[in-house]
Amino acid sequence: MSKIIDISYHQGDIDWSKASKEVDLAIIRTQYGTSTIDDKYIRNINECKKYKVPFGVYIYVTFKNKTEALAQARDFYERVQAHKPLFYVVDVEESFGSSVQNILQGTQAFVDYLKGKGVKVGLYTGHHFYKPYKMDTVKNYDFLWIPRYSGTSAPGLKPDYPCDLWQYTESGTVVGIKGNVDLNVLNGSKSLSWFTNTIVEDNKPNEKDDEKMQFTIKETKAAVRDFLQQAVDKKKIDKSWLDKF
């Protein structure tokens, strides 16, 4: 079973030779603010590269104003840009006693700084935090990631707000990881290949395929043709499939 996980030092030394068989995408924490560096992030990045697991990175921010936000954004980018992550996520969950306006301005400044570097940017924010701290007014990021747990390892109610990635449990399991791990699922129109920057190869019919697909029920044939046409339009399969149909 394929999984999207987010990880930090809390997961310890992951056995990536095993985890890589289940994980489609890993989102790796690099730091907590600028003062606390995650002591597993380099190992996790190197192991993901070794076992060909696509990965992005995130920072749990602690800023209280725009100035601190920009300082943390610079530190985050400079720390990991050489590792060439697929995307960068700013994790905004706490106010640390600051005002709504300061947190909003800081978040926007953080996002804008990263976008100015020409990278893909995600915003992670708490389900309880999203509206009260006006995260719904932040602009310029590429994807939104929101948690909402069911209290078990299975998905429950989806987030109340449209988002691209849904963190549905903190009690997930993955082979090669001791203890619990956060699990996520796609929740919008963005495909896994959008996050991993991969292009789905055209599936061209080969000599082993039937020379012609045949259907006797008119409605079934129409439905299959519509499906194939959509797949061709999205460049997920070769046009020759439609021609053969």
Side-chain angles (χ1 to χ4, degrees), residues 181-241:
V181 63
D182 296 339
L183 295 180
N184 306 270
V185 66
L186 301 174
N187 192 55
S189 61
K190 293 179 174 61
S191 64
L192 180 65
S193 62
W194 182 89
F195 285 90
T196 60
N197 291 351
T198 55
I199 300 175
V200 179
E201 294 183 1
D202 288 347
N203 296 314
K204 297 182 179 181
N206 55 45
E207 294 178 358
K208 294 182 180 180
D209 295 316
D210 293 336
E211 290 185 1
K212 186 175 183 180
M213 292 182 282
Q214 298 180 0
F215 297 88
T216 57
I217 301 175
K218 183 178 180 180
E219 291 81 3
T220 300
K221 186 174 182 179
V224 172
R225 184 176 181 82
D226 286 344
F227 176 81
L228 290 174
Q229 183 64 63
Q230 291 178 37
V232 169
D233 292 342
K234 294 178 181 179
K235 299 182 179 180
K236 291 185 178 295
I237 63 172
D238 189 81
K239 185 176 181 295
S240 54
W241 278 107

Side-chain angles (χ1 to χ4, degrees), residues 78-135:
E78 291 171 2
R79 186 176 307 282
V80 291
Q81 56 92 17
H83 296 290
K84 300 187 184 304
L86 292 164
F87 51 80
Y88 299 69
V89 178
V90 51
D91 179 349
V92 188
E93 298 182 52
E94 298 183 62
S95 68
F96 296 95
S98 189
S99 69
V100 171
Q101 191 63 20
N102 280 352
I103 296 302
L104 174 58
Q105 289 179 351
T107 302
Q108 189 63 68
F110 200 114
V111 169
D112 291 343
Y113 174 86
L114 290 177
K115 287 298 293 180
K117 297 297 182 180
V119 299
K120 188 178 289 183
V121 180
L123 170 62
Y124 176 104
T125 189
H127 194 270
H128 66 287
F129 200 87
Y130 186 68
K131 284 285 188 178
Y133 280 84
K134 299 185 179 180
M135 294 294 101

Side-chain angles (χ1 to χ4, degrees), residues 103-170:
I103 296 302
L104 174 58
Q105 289 179 351
T107 302
Q108 189 63 68
F110 200 114
V111 169
D112 291 343
Y113 174 86
L114 290 177
K115 287 298 293 180
K117 297 297 182 180
V119 299
K120 188 178 289 183
V121 180
L123 170 62
Y124 176 104
T125 189
H127 194 270
H128 66 287
F129 200 87
Y130 186 68
K131 284 285 188 178
Y133 280 84
K134 299 185 179 180
M135 294 294 101
D136 57 325
T137 66
V138 177
K139 302 175 181 179
N140 203 27
Y141 57 81
D142 297 292
F143 67 93
L144 179 62
W145 179 17
I146 293 181
R148 191 178 195 185
Y149 304 151
S150 65
T152 70
S153 60
L157 290 175
K158 289 185 177 184
D160 290 334
Y161 318 109
C163 61
D164 303 291
L165 200 57
W166 168 27
Q167 187 184 74
Y168 67 86
T169 184
E170 58 183 352

